[in-house]
Structure formats: C-alpha cells, structure tokens
Amino acid sequence: MSNAGHTPQCAFLVRDAIVPDDALAAGRLRALGWEVVAVPWRQPAVDWRAFDLVVIRSTWDYHLAPDAYLAVLATVAGQTRLANPFDMVSWNSRKTYLKDLAARGVPIVPTVYRDRGVDADVAGLFRDLKTDALILKPVVGASASGTRLLRCGDRTSPASSLNDEQHLIQPLVRSVLTEGEYSVFFFGGRYSHTVLKTPGRGDFRVQEEHGGRTVPAPPDLRLLEAAERAMEALESRPLYARVDLVRAPDGEAFWLMELELIEPVLYLGMDIGAPERLACAIVEWPNG
C-alpha cells in the first residue's frame, strides 16, 4: 500500500476508454480510496511513474502490433508496477505457452504447432488428431482473430495459407458445439466466478462478436479442479486470470483451451461480487 496521506493512483491500460464491464471494478476501487484513470496503450510520452499500479485491461488491438505493445509494457514495467507482470504477459502473448503448460502436466486440447514456412501435411493432421474438422489459429491472436475451420474434404480450404504465419492446429472439440466453453476467473489467485460461452447457430466460435452467447454458470468440482490445476502450473500468481476449458471427449475430464493473462474480458457484470473481488485484489497486489 501507499504512504499515509497519498491517494494511490491506478491506470487501466485500454485501447480507447474503460469499457462498461471494467467500470464496475473501477467504481469499487474508487470507493476503496484509489484514483482510477484510463490510459490508451498507444498514447505517447506517458510518465508511468505517476501511477502506483498499471492494470492491463481492454487493449484488445494488441495482437495487431504485438512488438510495439510489448515495448510499451516493458517501459511501464521499468517505471512502476504492472499487472499482470511483464514476463508473464510476454510469455502469454504467444499461444506456444500451451506447450509449457502441457509439459507441466496440464491437460490441454491436443495441439500441433507449425512454424512459418513449414509445410503442413493436412491429411496427416486429420489422422493424427483423430478428427474430421481442424481449428487453425495464429500463434498471436485475440478474440478468435484469424481463427479458421477446416473440414475434411473441403473443396476450398485455408490450408494453402498455413505457411504464411506461425500457427497452431487443434481438433474441433465437439463439446464446444453441444455444451459450450467455460471461463473460470481468478483474482489474486482466488476463485471468483464462472461463465459458460456457447457459439451462435452454424458457428464454432463462442465470442459475442461472432454471435456467441455468455451466461453465468456455477462450476462443478471437476471443472474447478481443472482450472486450479492450470493456475498452479504458473510460475507466479497473476492479478487476474481467465481459464478457458472445454469438456474432453470422455465426457468427464476438462481440457484447457486458453489461459488468458493479458486482457481478457472478465464478465464482472455476471457475478454481483466480482467487481469487489477484483478491486480488493488490486488493492492487495502483489502482497495479497
């Protein structure tokens, strides 16, 4: 905490402005005695030393200029506290982090990685991943940007563009279509709440911008255990984390789809206590 008589200053790092969902936490943080302002990450010449803490929030265009984005975060981290921490964010900015989590024992959606310029044996991928539908994702991406679906036997497929960028390839997990994808949230390392995201009719993507729907969902024990296992595999405790999980084909276990540590939507409006929990985690950071 800050010195007596000093009003702590918190910057929410954003694309343009604080979005309504994050405004819920900002309001609770102000009630706890903090000043909260929005700072666009592309804004030049910011004196980050003026802030006691910079919290990355709705920087939802970072994947369009990842090197420039990380350079800004490195500058912030060199002048004040950054949440989530720079090393964690840098690691999480490339989906190859899933390799590390799998090596630490976290069950992930089966994943094949291809570097730029490496030919993809598409028929072999269908066979090895035991699927008739593949999901292709760029290694750097957000909100399903650049994500494509390739079905076995498609006349026109995105496979010809696989050599243009680093990417990962996963089977289409059928439970996403029949049940949805769960997002489990942790603030300050403690469980907060859960939502269930389902795709729109005829789509496989669960994000609202692609027609998906999100509702609150109480987690069952297996889901919460899978989320906690992913959190325990991290080398340090994040201020916030969104653990995205899908039910495995056996109908019981859960696979990690993504572990979002940079700028995930936190769905604070879907749990009455979530804004307070995040605000308290910010006040306690990093000693809570």
Side-chain angles (χ1 to χ4, degrees), residues 59-96:
T59 57
W60 295 332
D61 58 344
Y62 85 89
H63 62 287
L64 302 177
D67 292 340
Y69 181 72
L70 290 177
V72 170
L73 296 188
T75 299
V76 175
Q79 296 184 19
T80 190
R81 296 184 299 154
L82 176 69
N84 281 325
F86 176 78
D87 288 347
M88 179 179 290
V89 170
S90 178
W91 170 76
N92 193 235
S93 68
R94 299 179 62 80
K95 297 184 193 301
T96 48

PDB file of all heavy atoms in Angstrom, residues 59-96:
ATOM      1  N   THR A  59      -7.023  -3.713 -23.894  1.00  0.00           N
ATOM      2  CA  THR A  59      -6.097  -3.419 -25.006  1.00  0.00           C
ATOM      3  C   THR A  59      -6.334  -4.439 -26.117  1.00  0.00           C
ATOM      4  O   THR A  59      -5.436  -5.191 -26.506  1.00  0.00           O
ATOM      5  CB  THR A  59      -4.643  -3.463 -24.523  1.00  0.00           C
ATOM      6  OG1 THR A  59      -4.385  -4.755 -23.933  1.00  0.00           O
ATOM      7  CG2 THR A  59      -4.377  -2.381 -23.481  1.00  0.00           C
ATOM      8  N   TRP A  60      -7.544  -4.466 -26.653  1.00  0.00           N
ATOM      9  CA  TRP A  60      -7.985  -5.566 -27.499  1.00  0.00           C
ATOM     10  C   TRP A  60      -7.451  -5.515 -28.923  1.00  0.00           C
ATOM     11  O   TRP A  60      -7.774  -6.388 -29.733  1.00  0.00           O
ATOM     12  CB  TRP A  60      -9.510  -5.630 -27.498  1.00  0.00           C
ATOM     13  CG  TRP A  60     -10.059  -5.956 -26.144  1.00  0.00           C
ATOM     14  CD1 TRP A  60      -9.437  -6.673 -25.159  1.00  0.00           C
ATOM     15  CD2 TRP A  60     -11.330  -5.599 -25.611  1.00  0.00           C
ATOM     16  NE1 TRP A  60     -10.226  -6.795 -24.052  1.00  0.00           N
ATOM     17  CE2 TRP A  60     -11.408  -6.130 -24.292  1.00  0.00           C
ATOM     18  CE3 TRP A  60     -12.412  -4.884 -26.101  1.00  0.00           C
ATOM     19  CZ2 TRP A  60     -12.527  -5.968 -23.490  1.00  0.00           C
ATOM     20  CZ3 TRP A  60     -13.522  -4.718 -25.310  1.00  0.00           C
ATOM     21  CH2 TRP A  60     -13.580  -5.247 -24.008  1.00  0.00           C
ATOM     22  N   ASP A  61      -6.616  -4.540 -29.229  1.00  0.00           N
ATOM     23  CA  ASP A  61      -5.986  -4.499 -30.556  1.00  0.00           C
ATOM     24  C   ASP A  61      -4.498  -4.815 -30.484  1.00  0.00           C
ATOM     25  O   ASP A  61      -3.778  -4.640 -31.463  1.00  0.00           O
ATOM     26  CB  ASP A  61      -6.186  -3.126 -31.203  1.00  0.00           C
ATOM     27  CG  ASP A  61      -5.610  -1.992 -30.351  1.00  0.00           C
ATOM     28  OD1 ASP A  61      -5.340  -2.220 -29.156  1.00  0.00           O
ATOM     29  OD2 ASP A  61      -5.433  -0.879 -30.894  1.00  0.00           O
ATOM     30  N   TYR A  62      -4.037  -5.333 -29.351  1.00  0.00           N
ATOM     31  CA  TYR A  62      -2.594  -5.518 -29.174  1.00  0.00           C
ATOM     32  C   TYR A  62      -2.016  -6.501 -30.179  1.00  0.00           C
ATOM     33  O   TYR A  62      -0.854  -6.379 -30.592  1.00  0.00           O
ATOM     34  CB  TYR A  62      -2.283  -5.985 -27.743  1.00  0.00           C
ATOM     35  CG  TYR A  62      -2.381  -7.476 -27.524  1.00  0.00           C
ATOM     36  CD1 TYR A  62      -1.268  -8.297 -27.723  1.00  0.00           C
ATOM     37  CD2 TYR A  62      -3.573  -8.081 -27.157  1.00  0.00           C
ATOM     38  CE1 TYR A  62      -1.345  -9.668 -27.547  1.00  0.00           C
ATOM     39  CE2 TYR A  62      -3.661  -9.445 -26.976  1.00  0.00           C
ATOM     40  CZ  TYR A  62      -2.549 -10.227 -27.173  1.00  0.00           C
ATOM     41  OH  TYR A  62      -2.634 -11.588 -27.014  1.00  0.00           O
ATOM     42  N   HIS A  63      -2.818  -7.488 -30.595  1.00  0.00           N
ATOM     43  CA  HIS A  63      -2.307  -8.523 -31.495  1.00  0.00           C
ATOM     44  C   HIS A  63      -2.009  -7.992 -32.891  1.00  0.00           C
ATOM     45  O   HIS A  63      -1.343  -8.661 -33.681  1.00  0.00           O
ATOM     46  CB  HIS A  63      -3.310  -9.676 -31.587  1.00  0.00           C
ATOM     47  CG  HIS A  63      -4.643  -9.268 -32.154  1.00  0.00           C
ATOM     48  ND1 HIS A  63      -5.547  -8.509 -31.435  1.00  0.00           N
ATOM     49  CD2 HIS A  63      -5.220  -9.491 -33.359  1.00  0.00           C
ATOM     50  CE1 HIS A  63      -6.619  -8.294 -32.161  1.00  0.00           C
ATOM     51  NE2 HIS A  63      -6.448  -8.877 -33.337  1.00  0.00           N
ATOM     52  N   LEU A  64      -2.485  -6.775 -33.181  1.00  0.00           N
ATOM     53  CA  LEU A  64      -2.199  -6.171 -34.479  1.00  0.00           C
ATOM     54  C   LEU A  64      -0.804  -5.569 -34.524  1.00  0.00           C
ATOM     55  O   LEU A  64      -0.254  -5.360 -35.615  1.00  0.00           O
ATOM     56  CB  LEU A  64      -3.247  -5.083 -34.790  1.00  0.00           C
ATOM     57  CG  LEU A  64      -4.699  -5.551 -34.808  1.00  0.00           C
ATOM     58  CD1 LEU A  64      -5.631  -4.380 -35.058  1.00  0.00           C
ATOM     59  CD2 LEU A  64      -4.912  -6.650 -35.860  1.00  0.00           C
ATOM     60  N   ALA A  65      -0.240  -5.293 -33.365  1.00  0.00           N
ATOM     61  CA  ALA A  65       1.121  -4.736 -33.281  1.00  0.00           C
ATOM     62  C   ALA A  65       1.784  -5.280 -32.024  1.00  0.00           C
ATOM     63  O   ALA A  65       2.099  -4.529 -31.093  1.00  0.00           O
ATOM     64  CB  ALA A  65       1.076  -3.209 -33.260  1.00  0.00           C
ATOM     65  N   PRO A  66       2.012  -6.589 -31.959  1.00  0.00           N
ATOM     66  CA  PRO A  66       2.481  -7.208 -30.707  1.00  0.00           C
ATOM     67  C   PRO A  66       3.841  -6.716 -30.243  1.00  0.00           C
ATOM     68  O   PRO A  66       4.071  -6.577 -29.041  1.00  0.00           O
ATOM     69  CB  PRO A  66       2.497  -8.703 -31.034  1.00  0.00           C
ATOM     70  CG  PRO A  66       2.557  -8.779 -32.528  1.00  0.00           C
ATOM     71  CD  PRO A  66       1.799  -7.589 -33.021  1.00  0.00           C
ATOM     72  N   ASP A  67       4.759  -6.451 -31.161  1.00  0.00           N
ATOM     73  CA  ASP A  67       6.087  -5.983 -30.752  1.00  0.00           C
ATOM     74  C   ASP A  67       6.006  -4.593 -30.128  1.00  0.00           C
ATOM     75  O   ASP A  67       6.639  -4.326 -29.094  1.00  0.00           O
ATOM     76  CB  ASP A  67       7.046  -5.971 -31.947  1.00  0.00           C
ATOM     77  CG  ASP A  67       7.374  -7.379 -32.438  1.00  0.00           C
ATOM     78  OD1 ASP A  67       7.189  -8.341 -31.663  1.00  0.00           O
ATOM     79  OD2 ASP A  67       7.802  -7.520 -33.597  1.00  0.00           O
ATOM     80  N   ALA A  68       5.228  -3.708 -30.749  1.00  0.00           N
ATOM     81  CA  ALA A  68       5.061  -2.362 -30.208  1.00  0.00           C
ATOM     82  C   ALA A  68       4.363  -2.417 -28.849  1.00  0.00           C
ATOM     83  O   ALA A  68       4.712  -1.669 -27.921  1.00  0.00           O
ATOM     84  CB  ALA A  68       4.262  -1.495 -31.181  1.00  0.00           C
ATOM     85  N   TYR A  69       3.406  -3.295 -28.728  1.00  0.00           N
ATOM     86  CA  TYR A  69       2.667  -3.446 -27.474  1.00  0.00           C
ATOM     87  C   TYR A  69       3.588  -3.898 -26.343  1.00  0.00           C
ATOM     88  O   TYR A  69       3.610  -3.303 -25.259  1.00  0.00           O
ATOM     89  CB  TYR A  69       1.548  -4.451 -27.681  1.00  0.00           C
ATOM     90  CG  TYR A  69       0.674  -4.701 -26.477  1.00  0.00           C
ATOM     91  CD1 TYR A  69      -0.225  -3.735 -26.038  1.00  0.00           C
ATOM     92  CD2 TYR A  69       0.722  -5.916 -25.800  1.00  0.00           C
ATOM     93  CE1 TYR A  69      -1.048  -3.971 -24.943  1.00  0.00           C
ATOM     94  CE2 TYR A  69      -0.093  -6.158 -24.711  1.00  0.00           C
ATOM     95  CZ  TYR A  69      -0.973  -5.188 -24.285  1.00  0.00           C
ATOM     96  OH  TYR A  69      -1.781  -5.422 -23.193  1.00  0.00           O
ATOM     97  N   LEU A  70       4.377  -4.915 -26.606  1.00  0.00           N
ATOM     98  CA  LEU A  70       5.281  -5.409 -25.575  1.00  0.00           C
ATOM     99  C   LEU A  70       6.341  -4.368 -25.223  1.00  0.00           C
ATOM    100  O   LEU A  70       6.778  -4.295 -24.067  1.00  0.00           O
ATOM    101  CB  LEU A  70       5.933  -6.712 -26.025  1.00  0.00           C
ATOM    102  CG  LEU A  70       5.002  -7.924 -26.086  1.00  0.00           C
ATOM    103  CD1 LEU A  70       5.743  -9.141 -26.626  1.00  0.00           C
ATOM    104  CD2 LEU A  70       4.386  -8.229 -24.728  1.00  0.00           C
ATOM    105  N   ALA A  71       6.732  -3.550 -26.197  1.00  0.00           N
ATOM    106  CA  ALA A  71       7.695  -2.482 -25.908  1.00  0.00           C
ATOM    107  C   ALA A  71       7.090  -1.474 -24.937  1.00  0.00           C
ATOM    108  O   ALA A  71       7.771  -0.981 -24.021  1.00  0.00           O
ATOM    109  CB  ALA A  71       8.129  -1.798 -27.201  1.00  0.00           C
ATOM    110  N   VAL A  72       5.803  -1.157 -25.116  1.00  0.00           N
ATOM    111  CA  VAL A  72       5.128  -0.245 -24.190  1.00  0.00           C
ATOM    112  C   VAL A  72       5.069  -0.868 -22.798  1.00  0.00           C
ATOM    113  O   VAL A  72       5.367  -0.199 -21.790  1.00  0.00           O
ATOM    114  CB  VAL A  72       3.713   0.098 -24.694  1.00  0.00           C
ATOM    115  CG1 VAL A  72       2.919   0.836 -23.613  1.00  0.00           C
ATOM    116  CG2 VAL A  72       3.780   0.943 -25.959  1.00  0.00           C
ATOM    117  N   LEU A  73       4.712  -2.128 -22.728  1.00  0.00           N
ATOM    118  CA  LEU A  73       4.612  -2.784 -21.421  1.00  0.00           C
ATOM    119  C   LEU A  73       5.969  -2.858 -20.729  1.00  0.00           C
ATOM    120  O   LEU A  73       6.056  -2.716 -19.507  1.00  0.00           O
ATOM    121  CB  LEU A  73       4.029  -4.187 -21.576  1.00  0.00           C
ATOM    122  CG  LEU A  73       2.599  -4.290 -22.106  1.00  0.00           C
ATOM    123  CD1 LEU A  73       2.115  -5.725 -22.003  1.00  0.00           C
ATOM    124  CD2 LEU A  73       1.651  -3.352 -21.367  1.00  0.00           C
ATOM    125  N   ALA A  74       7.023  -3.065 -21.500  1.00  0.00           N
ATOM    126  CA  ALA A  74       8.363  -3.090 -20.909  1.00  0.00           C
ATOM    127  C   ALA A  74       8.706  -1.726 -20.320  1.00  0.00           C
ATOM    128  O   ALA A  74       9.318  -1.635 -19.242  1.00  0.00           O
ATOM    129  CB  ALA A  74       9.391  -3.489 -21.960  1.00  0.00           C
ATOM    130  N   THR A  75       8.300  -0.667 -21.008  1.00  0.00           N
ATOM    131  CA  THR A  75       8.534   0.684 -20.486  1.00  0.00           C
ATOM    132  C   THR A  75       7.760   0.906 -19.193  1.00  0.00           C
ATOM    133  O   THR A  75       8.293   1.448 -18.213  1.00  0.00           O
ATOM    134  CB  THR A  75       8.121   1.735 -21.526  1.00  0.00           C
ATOM    135  OG1 THR A  75       8.917   1.568 -22.703  1.00  0.00           O
ATOM    136  CG2 THR A  75       8.314   3.150 -20.992  1.00  0.00           C
ATOM    137  N   VAL A  76       6.484   0.474 -19.195  1.00  0.00           N
ATOM    138  CA  VAL A  76       5.669   0.603 -17.983  1.00  0.00           C
ATOM    139  C   VAL A  76       6.335  -0.139 -16.823  1.00  0.00           C
ATOM    140  O   VAL A  76       6.499   0.411 -15.718  1.00  0.00           O
ATOM    141  CB  VAL A  76       4.254   0.039 -18.219  1.00  0.00           C
ATOM    142  CG1 VAL A  76       3.457   0.060 -16.904  1.00  0.00           C
ATOM    143  CG2 VAL A  76       3.517   0.835 -19.289  1.00  0.00           C
ATOM    144  N   ALA A  77       6.725  -1.379 -17.071  1.00  0.00           N
ATOM    145  CA  ALA A  77       7.314  -2.199 -16.012  1.00  0.00           C
ATOM    146  C   ALA A  77       8.623  -1.630 -15.505  1.00  0.00           C
ATOM    147  O   ALA A  77       9.011  -1.881 -14.356  1.00  0.00           O
ATOM    148  CB  ALA A  77       7.516  -3.627 -16.521  1.00  0.00           C
ATOM    149  N   GLY A  78       9.306  -0.860 -16.342  1.00  0.00           N
ATOM    150  CA  GLY A  78      10.551  -0.233 -15.922  1.00  0.00           C
ATOM    151  C   GLY A  78      10.340   0.981 -15.041  1.00  0.00           C
ATOM    152  O   GLY A  78      11.291   1.468 -14.413  1.00  0.00           O
ATOM    153  N   GLN A  79       9.092   1.485 -14.980  1.00  0.00           N
ATOM    154  CA  GLN A  79       8.828   2.712 -14.230  1.00  0.00           C
ATOM    155  C   GLN A  79       7.897   2.521 -13.035  1.00  0.00           C
ATOM    156  O   GLN A  79       7.915   3.316 -12.091  1.00  0.00           O
ATOM    157  CB  GLN A  79       8.217   3.770 -15.169  1.00  0.00           C
ATOM    158  CG  GLN A  79       9.154   4.208 -16.278  1.00  0.00           C
ATOM    159  CD  GLN A  79       8.569   5.315 -17.127  1.00  0.00           C
ATOM    160  OE1 GLN A  79       7.633   6.010 -16.739  1.00  0.00           O
ATOM    161  NE2 GLN A  79       9.116   5.486 -18.326  1.00  0.00           N
ATOM    162  N   THR A  80       7.051   1.462 -13.066  1.00  0.00           N
ATOM    163  CA  THR A  80       6.109   1.245 -11.966  1.00  0.00           C
ATOM    164  C   THR A  80       5.663  -0.210 -11.982  1.00  0.00           C
ATOM    165  O   THR A  80       6.155  -1.019 -12.766  1.00  0.00           O
ATOM    166  CB  THR A  80       4.894   2.196 -12.080  1.00  0.00           C
ATOM    167  OG1 THR A  80       4.122   2.120 -10.882  1.00  0.00           O
ATOM    168  CG2 THR A  80       4.036   1.854 -13.279  1.00  0.00           C
ATOM    169  N   ARG A  81       4.727  -0.539 -11.117  1.00  0.00           N
ATOM    170  CA  ARG A  81       4.217  -1.910 -11.065  1.00  0.00           C
ATOM    171  C   ARG A  81       3.225  -2.142 -12.203  1.00  0.00           C
ATOM    172  O   ARG A  81       2.399  -1.273 -12.508  1.00  0.00           O
ATOM    173  CB  ARG A  81       3.534  -2.175  -9.731  1.00  0.00           C
ATOM    174  CG  ARG A  81       4.484  -2.089  -8.533  1.00  0.00           C
ATOM    175  CD  ARG A  81       3.741  -2.455  -7.254  1.00  0.00           C
ATOM    176  NE  ARG A  81       2.637  -1.540  -6.985  1.00  0.00           N
ATOM    177  CZ  ARG A  81       1.560  -1.841  -6.279  1.00  0.00           C
ATOM    178  NH1 ARG A  81       1.420  -3.066  -5.784  1.00  0.00           N
ATOM    179  NH2 ARG A  81       0.628  -0.958  -6.064  1.00  0.00           N
ATOM    180  N   LEU A  82       3.303  -3.307 -12.812  1.00  0.00           N
ATOM    181  CA  LEU A  82       2.432  -3.678 -13.929  1.00  0.00           C
ATOM    182  C   LEU A  82       1.727  -4.981 -13.588  1.00  0.00           C
ATOM    183  O   LEU A  82       2.338  -5.933 -13.107  1.00  0.00           O
ATOM    184  CB  LEU A  82       3.252  -3.860 -15.204  1.00  0.00           C
ATOM    185  CG  LEU A  82       2.491  -4.353 -16.448  1.00  0.00           C
ATOM    186  CD1 LEU A  82       1.524  -3.272 -16.956  1.00  0.00           C
ATOM    187  CD2 LEU A  82       3.476  -4.739 -17.556  1.00  0.00           C
ATOM    188  N   ALA A  83       0.432  -5.019 -13.841  1.00  0.00           N
ATOM    189  CA  ALA A  83      -0.333  -6.252 -13.643  1.00  0.00           C
ATOM    190  C   ALA A  83      -1.194  -6.495 -14.888  1.00  0.00           C
ATOM    191  O   ALA A  83      -1.895  -5.600 -15.328  1.00  0.00           O
ATOM    192  CB  ALA A  83      -1.226  -6.136 -12.402  1.00  0.00           C
ATOM    193  N   ASN A  84      -1.052  -7.680 -15.419  1.00  0.00           N
ATOM    194  CA  ASN A  84      -0.167  -8.730 -14.944  1.00  0.00           C
ATOM    195  C   ASN A  84       1.287  -8.391 -15.259  1.00  0.00           C
ATOM    196  O   ASN A  84       1.549  -7.557 -16.135  1.00  0.00           O
ATOM    197  CB  ASN A  84      -0.568 -10.078 -15.536  1.00  0.00           C
ATOM    198  CG  ASN A  84      -1.761 -10.677 -14.811  1.00  0.00           C
ATOM    199  OD1 ASN A  84      -1.935 -10.546 -13.607  1.00  0.00           O
ATOM    200  ND2 ASN A  84      -2.640 -11.348 -15.578  1.00  0.00           N
ATOM    201  N   PRO A  85       2.261  -9.035 -14.593  1.00  0.00           N
ATOM    202  CA  PRO A  85       3.665  -8.676 -14.770  1.00  0.00           C
ATOM    203  C   PRO A  85       4.141  -8.895 -16.201  1.00  0.00           C
ATOM    204  O   PRO A  85       3.625  -9.743 -16.934  1.00  0.00           O
ATOM    205  CB  PRO A  85       4.388  -9.613 -13.798  1.00  0.00           C
ATOM    206  CG  PRO A  85       3.364  -9.965 -12.775  1.00  0.00           C
ATOM    207  CD  PRO A  85       2.070 -10.030 -13.514  1.00  0.00           C
ATOM    208  N   PHE A  86       5.163  -8.133 -16.580  1.00  0.00           N
ATOM    209  CA  PHE A  86       5.636  -8.144 -17.963  1.00  0.00           C
ATOM    210  C   PHE A  86       6.075  -9.526 -18.419  1.00  0.00           C
ATOM    211  O   PHE A  86       5.717  -9.973 -19.517  1.00  0.00           O
ATOM    212  CB  PHE A  86       6.783  -7.152 -18.144  1.00  0.00           C
ATOM    213  CG  PHE A  86       7.358  -7.199 -19.533  1.00  0.00           C
ATOM    214  CD1 PHE A  86       6.706  -6.581 -20.584  1.00  0.00           C
ATOM    215  CD2 PHE A  86       8.541  -7.880 -19.787  1.00  0.00           C
ATOM    216  CE1 PHE A  86       7.216  -6.646 -21.877  1.00  0.00           C
ATOM    217  CE2 PHE A  86       9.057  -7.945 -21.067  1.00  0.00           C
ATOM    218  CZ  PHE A  86       8.400  -7.320 -22.120  1.00  0.00           C
ATOM    219  N   ASP A  87       6.862 -10.229 -17.630  1.00  0.00           N
ATOM    220  CA  ASP A  87       7.354 -11.533 -18.059  1.00  0.00           C
ATOM    221  C   ASP A  87       6.198 -12.497 -18.301  1.00  0.00           C
ATOM    222  O   ASP A  87       6.219 -13.291 -19.255  1.00  0.00           O
ATOM    223  CB  ASP A  87       8.307 -12.116 -17.018  1.00  0.00           C
ATOM    224  CG  ASP A  87       9.649 -11.407 -16.989  1.00  0.00           C
ATOM    225  OD1 ASP A  87       9.926 -10.626 -17.932  1.00  0.00           O
ATOM    226  OD2 ASP A  87      10.414 -11.617 -16.032  1.00  0.00           O
ATOM    227  N   MET A  88       5.187 -12.436 -17.470  1.00  0.00           N
ATOM    228  CA  MET A  88       4.020 -13.292 -17.626  1.00  0.00           C
ATOM    229  C   MET A  88       3.259 -12.953 -18.901  1.00  0.00           C
ATOM    230  O   MET A  88       2.847 -13.838 -19.666  1.00  0.00           O
ATOM    231  CB  MET A  88       3.109 -13.160 -16.404  1.00  0.00           C
ATOM    232  CG  MET A  88       1.835 -13.985 -16.464  1.00  0.00           C
ATOM    233  SD  MET A  88       0.833 -13.774 -14.960  1.00  0.00           S
ATOM    234  CE  MET A  88       1.844 -14.636 -13.756  1.00  0.00           C
ATOM    235  N   VAL A  89       3.075 -11.664 -19.142  1.00  0.00           N
ATOM    236  CA  VAL A  89       2.340 -11.221 -20.328  1.00  0.00           C
ATOM    237  C   VAL A  89       3.101 -11.561 -21.601  1.00  0.00           C
ATOM    238  O   VAL A  89       2.520 -12.026 -22.589  1.00  0.00           O
ATOM    239  CB  VAL A  89       2.056  -9.711 -20.237  1.00  0.00           C
ATOM    240  CG1 VAL A  89       1.509  -9.182 -21.553  1.00  0.00           C
ATOM    241  CG2 VAL A  89       1.071  -9.431 -19.103  1.00  0.00           C
ATOM    242  N   SER A  90       4.404 -11.345 -21.595  1.00  0.00           N
ATOM    243  CA  SER A  90       5.212 -11.663 -22.768  1.00  0.00           C
ATOM    244  C   SER A  90       5.104 -13.149 -23.098  1.00  0.00           C
ATOM    245  O   SER A  90       4.937 -13.542 -24.265  1.00  0.00           O
ATOM    246  CB  SER A  90       6.664 -11.271 -22.510  1.00  0.00           C
ATOM    247  OG  SER A  90       7.477 -11.599 -23.610  1.00  0.00           O
ATOM    248  N   TRP A  91       5.178 -13.984 -22.087  1.00  0.00           N
ATOM    249  CA  TRP A  91       5.048 -15.433 -22.272  1.00  0.00           C
ATOM    250  C   TRP A  91       3.668 -15.795 -22.797  1.00  0.00           C
ATOM    251  O   TRP A  91       3.517 -16.620 -23.705  1.00  0.00           O
ATOM    252  CB  TRP A  91       5.321 -16.109 -20.929  1.00  0.00           C
ATOM    253  CG  TRP A  91       5.015 -17.573 -20.851  1.00  0.00           C
ATOM    254  CD1 TRP A  91       5.753 -18.604 -21.382  1.00  0.00           C
ATOM    255  CD2 TRP A  91       3.902 -18.173 -20.182  1.00  0.00           C
ATOM    256  NE1 TRP A  91       5.158 -19.802 -21.078  1.00  0.00           N
ATOM    257  CE2 TRP A  91       4.029 -19.568 -20.342  1.00  0.00           C
ATOM    258  CE3 TRP A  91       2.817 -17.666 -19.450  1.00  0.00           C
ATOM    259  CZ2 TRP A  91       3.104 -20.460 -19.808  1.00  0.00           C
ATOM    260  CZ3 TRP A  91       1.906 -18.556 -18.915  1.00  0.00           C
ATOM    261  CH2 TRP A  91       2.060 -19.926 -19.100  1.00  0.00           C
ATOM    262  N   ASN A  92       2.634 -15.160 -22.271  1.00  0.00           N
ATOM    263  CA  ASN A  92       1.259 -15.483 -22.615  1.00  0.00           C
ATOM    264  C   ASN A  92       0.828 -14.906 -23.968  1.00  0.00           C
ATOM    265  O   ASN A  92      -0.214 -15.289 -24.502  1.00  0.00           O
ATOM    266  CB  ASN A  92       0.329 -14.963 -21.506  1.00  0.00           C
ATOM    267  CG  ASN A  92      -1.076 -15.507 -21.591  1.00  0.00           C
ATOM    268  OD1 ASN A  92      -2.037 -14.737 -21.628  1.00  0.00           O
ATOM    269  ND2 ASN A  92      -1.242 -16.818 -21.617  1.00  0.00           N
ATOM    270  N   SER A  93       1.626 -14.000 -24.524  1.00  0.00           N
ATOM    271  CA  SER A  93       1.244 -13.333 -25.777  1.00  0.00           C
ATOM    272  C   SER A  93       1.355 -14.245 -26.986  1.00  0.00           C
ATOM    273  O   SER A  93       0.823 -13.935 -28.053  1.00  0.00           O
ATOM    274  CB  SER A  93       2.099 -12.080 -25.995  1.00  0.00           C
ATOM    275  OG  SER A  93       3.453 -12.420 -26.250  1.00  0.00           O
ATOM    276  N   ARG A  94       2.033 -15.369 -26.838  1.00  0.00           N
ATOM    277  CA  ARG A  94       2.152 -16.355 -27.910  1.00  0.00           C
ATOM    278  C   ARG A  94       1.553 -17.675 -27.426  1.00  0.00           C
ATOM    279  O   ARG A  94       1.892 -18.148 -26.342  1.00  0.00           O
ATOM    280  CB  ARG A  94       3.617 -16.550 -28.323  1.00  0.00           C
ATOM    281  CG  ARG A  94       4.260 -15.274 -28.845  1.00  0.00           C
ATOM    282  CD  ARG A  94       5.713 -15.502 -29.223  1.00  0.00           C
ATOM    283  NE  ARG A  94       5.846 -16.479 -30.291  1.00  0.00           N
ATOM    284  CZ  ARG A  94       5.649 -16.208 -31.587  1.00  0.00           C
ATOM    285  NH1 ARG A  94       5.309 -14.981 -31.969  1.00  0.00           N
ATOM    286  NH2 ARG A  94       5.783 -17.149 -32.496  1.00  0.00           N
ATOM    287  N   LYS A  95       0.675 -18.240 -28.230  1.00  0.00           N
ATOM    288  CA  LYS A  95      -0.048 -19.422 -27.791  1.00  0.00           C
ATOM    289  C   LYS A  95       0.854 -20.646 -27.620  1.00  0.00           C
ATOM    290  O   LYS A  95       0.386 -21.696 -27.164  1.00  0.00           O
ATOM    291  CB  LYS A  95      -1.195 -19.716 -28.762  1.00  0.00           C
ATOM    292  CG  LYS A  95      -2.234 -18.605 -28.813  1.00  0.00           C
ATOM    293  CD  LYS A  95      -3.393 -18.966 -29.706  1.00  0.00           C
ATOM    294  CE  LYS A  95      -4.277 -17.771 -30.013  1.00  0.00           C
ATOM    295  NZ  LYS A  95      -4.858 -17.121 -28.832  1.00  0.00           N
ATOM    296  N   THR A  96       2.110 -20.499 -27.937  1.00  0.00           N
ATOM    297  CA  THR A  96       3.053 -21.578 -27.651  1.00  0.00           C
ATOM    298  C   THR A  96       3.207 -21.795 -26.149  1.00  0.00           C
ATOM    299  O   THR A  96       3.806 -22.799 -25.729  1.00  0.00           O
ATOM    300  CB  THR A  96       4.421 -21.284 -28.283  1.00  0.00           C
ATOM    301  OG1 THR A  96       4.817 -19.939 -27.966  1.00  0.00           O
ATOM    302  CG2 THR A  96       4.373 -21.429 -29.804  1.00  0.00           C
TER     303      THR A  96
END
